Amino acid sequence: MKKLFAAVKWAITLGPGHQNFLGASWIQKVLDRTPADRKRQRALQILSLSPHYFFCRNEPGLAEMPFNEYLNAAFEANRRSRQRIVDEILRGRISSDDVVLDFGCGPGFLARAIAPEVKRVYGYDISPGAIACARILNPADGLEYIDPPDFSTAIPDEGIDFIVSLAVVQHLTDDLYAKLLDDCWSKLKPGGRIALHVQLTGGGWRTEQEWRDDRSIQGRLRLKYGLHCFARPEEKHREIVSGCGYTGINVENIADLVSDPFDDICRQHLLLAEKPV
């Protein structure tokens, strides 16, 4: 019953395109009609409909909470985690003069944490519902959220110094991975840098081919609707990234960059590269 409820919940939020959870047009309409004093809680409730946010309900101390209290606790956990990513992983890689793009920003936790450190931040996501929630939950001075249709026009070509993408690449096929890199290339200044959170093979994660070879009903549905994660050998990441023109590729173990494993990201890797001058 729980699986059926989850499937229905995700289905009603889907928009067009790959993995466009919270892409349904009704989400913005609901938020627009919600009174100002209830918008924050309504945005949290909408985020809980996606499989990508607030999925830690079974962790100790959270399962017993009333639902709205749990949502606020999950919000705070996400805020702290993304602040630590800035403090322990990104600080030193970004500067106060940088214009930064958070590609796949979701509800904006990371973009908001970056904003005080740099000149300007753009937050972009394919999900208009996630962007609508981000504007309510995570606004900041110098931070602009970009609606999906406006990516090519709202962000200046060759206007970005640094692009970060967290929890995105592992959901993309090889073709979509290359498209992300091409989109980033058009926005990066010569000499601009990218930092991609990536998953290497091992640890039980399947490759794209292994997902495609799974002909079970569950496997096919998870692949079709984006409820999967792809792992790749480091060599495959390097091949895709270098094939899109990037140089200076380096892959770092995130566990070596942080003081303790505060998030799932700490079991994964950071790929760094640059657009040649």
Side-chain angles (χ1 to χ4, degrees):
M1 183 62 69
K2 286 184 178 179
K3 289 183 178 180
L4 177 60
F5 174 73
V8 171
K9 179 177 69 172
W10 297 334
I12 64 173
T13 73
L14 282 171
H18 180 79
Q19 293 226 34
N20 194 354
F21 290 99
L22 303 187
S25 60
W26 63 263
I27 293 173
Q28 183 67 68
K29 295 174 183 176
V30 167
L31 289 172
D32 287 344
R33 294 171 184 171
T34 300
D37 62 345
R38 296 177 58 193
K39 281 186 185 292
R40 182 182 184 278
Q41 203 64 28
R42 183 60 50 82
L44 291 174
Q45 292 165 352
I46 287 172
L47 285 182
S48 74
L49 298 176
S50 167
H52 295 309
Y53 314 113
F54 301 165
F55 49 82
C56 53
R57 180 65 158 157
N58 294 325
E59 291 186 6
L62 296 180
E64 302 81 14
M65 287 183 178
F67 183 62
N68 283 334
E69 185 179 340
Y70 151 71
L71 291 177
N72 283 287
F75 172 91
E76 184 59 22
N78 274 278
R79 186 200 63 77
R80 289 195 303 267
S81 171
R82 273 41 186 174
Q83 186 62 58
R84 289 192 65 178
I85 287 170
V86 171
D87 293 343
E88 301 186 35
I89 300 174
L90 297 182
R91 186 169 286 136
R93 305 178 193 274
I94 52 178
S95 73
S96 58
D97 293 328
D98 281 345
V99 178
V100 173
L101 168 62
D102 181 359
F103 195 111
C105 67
F109 291 99
L110 183 63
R112 182 178 183 177
I114 291 171
E117 308 290 330
V118 300
K119 182 178 180 180
R120 185 172 183 80
V121 183
Y122 293 98
Y124 167 75
D125 199 277
I126 64 166
S127 167
I131 291 294
C133 291
R135 290 190 175 115
I136 294 168
L137 297 170
N138 286 304
D141 291 341
L143 168 56
E144 180 181 355
Y145 290 110
I146 305 300
D147 290 311
D150 300 332
F151 178 81
S152 61
T153 56
I155 302 173
D157 289 345
E158 297 193 345
I160 303 296
D161 298 286
F162 187 89
I163 296 176
V164 60
S165 188
L166 181 72
V168 173
V169 168
Q170 63 261 43
H171 297 299
L172 303 180
T173 64
D174 288 353
D175 288 345
L176 289 174
Y177 187 0
K179 183 181 185 306
L180 177 152
L181 290 164
D182 288 341
D183 289 341
C184 289
W185 181 278
S186 70
K187 300 304 176 185
L188 274 177
K189 297 176 181 178
R193 297 145 289 144
I194 61 171
L196 307 177
H197 160 220
V198 300
Q199 174 65 42
L200 303 187
T201 48
W205 288 45
R206 298 183 187 182
T207 64
E208 179 179 341
Q209 190 57 54
E210 286 171 331
W211 273 105
R212 294 191 182 283
D213 289 342
D214 183 349
R215 305 310 297 166
S216 69
I217 293 175
Q218 183 182 42
R220 283 183 285 177
L221 288 173
R222 289 177 70 89
L223 181 62
K224 179 176 180 180
Y225 293 107
L227 297 170
H228 58 265
C229 293
F230 298 139
R232 295 175 173 88
E234 182 176 330
E235 296 76 15
K236 184 64 175 178
H237 283 287
R238 290 179 176 273
E239 174 189 329
I240 294 172
V241 175
S242 63
C244 291
Y246 294 85
T247 59
I249 300 168
N250 188 37
V251 178
E252 300 182 12
N253 187 346
I254 293 174
D256 295 335
L257 306 176
V258 299
S259 56
D260 62 85
F262 60 87
D263 190 276
D264 283 349
I265 190 177
C266 300
R267 295 194 292 270
Q268 296 159 28
H269 290 73
L270 191 71
L271 185 148
L272 301 154
E274 63 184 38
K275 179 178 179 178
V277 177

